Amino acid sequence: MIDVHCHLNFHSFEKNYDEVIKKAKKDGVEKIINVGTKIDSSQKAIGLAKDYENLFAIVGIHPHHADKLEKGWEITLEKLAKNAKKVVAIGEIGMDYYSYKSNSIVDPKLQKDIFIKQIELAFKLKLPLQIHNRHAGKDILEILSSHKSYLLSPPGMFHCMSGDIQFLKQVLNLGFYVGFDGNITYQGFAPGENIHLKDLVNYAPLDRIVAETDSPFLTPEPHRGSLNIPSYVIIVAAKIAEIKGVSFSLVEDQTTRNANAVFNL
């Protein structure tokens, strides 16, 4: 198994990341990709990747931080992204129109500007994209469609896939893979959504799905309420298998192949 998106570089794991990484390996998670959301967390992701053979890093500026950047951030991010042996993508980047208690909606024009600059950087360095989308699908698709010449083949993946079937179709048509997380084990709709995530899982072709945890967030059932860890990507894969009516071993094998195809691990 490969967990293509987690945040062991966040404060939640400061005291036990070594234990968590070793547990994942023991449980059958062969590779883990740590994802940055700003400059410092991207630096930490690279640091962990250098310390552990089975860890890799994705670097980028999350839309929440588009209004908190210091001058020269583009140069710094490019330098970080040039850690070619361990940096496998630019992310998590994109747009977010959901108002969180901890972070109100950042100016959409600013989000768009930062998003486009990072698409251009990814093209320059020949790295795939890891896309964050929350309630901003229309604008994200417009930006990606207008920058088709900047997209690799495959162009990357949409992290924590959400939206409706039509949106998923358009994402797949652009060549992107889609990631599913522990929230596919939850009952009901996600806030602001009008479709069950299991319907997206069911529609998406297995050869375009990757498995992820987003740990420490989105802990799957039956562990919901506790800290999420990369080992739980196995639970995500098992749920995908259940929804699609196929074997766990098939999902394990195919999602691993897909992750390698996207990130050249």
Side-chain angles (χ1 to χ4, degrees):
M1 284 296 304
I2 298 176
D3 181 0
V4 302
H5 186 112
C6 70
H7 300 287
L8 296 177
N9 45 336
F10 280 16
H11 294 304
S12 299
F13 294 106
E14 276 184 338
K15 296 180 180 179
N16 69 339
Y17 65 82
D18 183 69
E19 175 187 343
V20 168
I21 291 167
K22 288 177 179 175
K23 174 175 171 52
K25 183 77 170 179
K26 181 180 178 181
D27 291 341
V29 182
E30 294 295 325
K31 296 174 183 176
I32 298 170
I33 302 177
N34 270 312
V35 181
T37 56
K38 50 183 178 175
I39 295 298
D40 61 352
S41 61
S42 294
Q43 290 170 327
K44 289 179 182 178
I46 292 171
L48 284 169
K50 288 181 176 179
D51 289 341
Y52 293 86
E53 184 180 357
N54 63 322
L55 264 62
F56 298 85
I58 290 177
V59 301
I61 310 299
H62 189 288
H64 282 173
H65 300 294
D67 60 345
K68 305 172 185 69
L69 295 170
E70 295 182 1
K71 187 177 180 180
W73 69 269
E74 302 102 315
I75 296 171
T76 303
L77 184 61
E78 181 171 347
K79 287 179 180 177
L80 291 175
K82 286 180 177 177
N83 284 267
K85 290 184 178 180
K86 281 302 184 88
V87 173
V88 296
I90 299 295
E92 61 183 288
I93 65 173
M95 302 187 73
D96 193 318
Y97 295 162
Y98 183 81
S99 185
Y100 301 78
K101 289 182 180 179
S102 60
N103 202 107
S104 59
I105 300 172
V106 175
D107 177 9
K109 290 183 180 179
L110 183 57
Q111 288 192 48
K112 180 179 179 180
D113 178 60
I114 301 303
F115 184 26
I116 290 173
K117 285 180 178 177
Q118 292 182 99
I119 291 171
E120 292 171 345
L121 174 62
F123 176 70
K124 178 180 179 180
L125 300 180
K126 298 297 181 281
L127 289 170
L129 305 171
Q130 192 174 75
I131 305 292
H132 171 99
N133 161 53
R134 192 160 189 191
H135 300 178
K138 181 176 180 291
D139 286 350
I140 286 178
L141 286 176
E142 286 181 357
I143 291 167
L144 292 173
S145 296
S146 65
H147 288 78
K148 268 189 177 181
S149 62
Y150 287 82
L151 302 181
L152 304 183
S153 180
M157 61 162 286
F158 270 65
H159 151 64
C160 198
M161 188 65 199
S162 62
D164 58 21
I165 296 294
Q166 183 58 35
F167 176 69
L168 174 56
K169 286 180 180 179
Q170 292 175 280
V171 167
L172 294 171
N173 286 341
L174 281 171
F176 283 90
Y177 286 65
V178 293
F180 292 106
D181 305 64
N183 55 351
I184 66 172
T185 68
Y186 301 170
Q187 297 296 315
F189 299 123
E193 302 292 343
N194 58 8
I195 187 172
H196 289 287
L197 289 173
K198 67 180 181 181
D199 293 330
L200 298 181
V201 175
N202 199 41
Y203 182 86
L206 185 55
D207 63 2
R208 299 287 287 280
I209 292 175
V210 287
E212 54 183 4
T213 62
D214 200 23
S215 49
F217 314 111
L218 300 179
T219 310
E221 299 288 1
H223 304 288
R224 194 175 183 183
S226 63
L227 189 74
N228 199 6
I229 55 176
S231 289
Y232 293 164
V233 74
I234 294 168
I235 298 175
V236 174
K239 188 65 176 180
I240 293 170
E242 176 190 320
I243 292 169
K244 286 190 164 294
V246 298
S247 68
F248 171 80
S249 61
L250 177 60
V251 173
E252 180 183 33
D253 178 67
Q254 188 63 59
T255 58
T256 299
R257 289 172 184 267
N258 296 345
N260 283 315
V262 176
F263 300 114
N264 194 29
L265 300 175

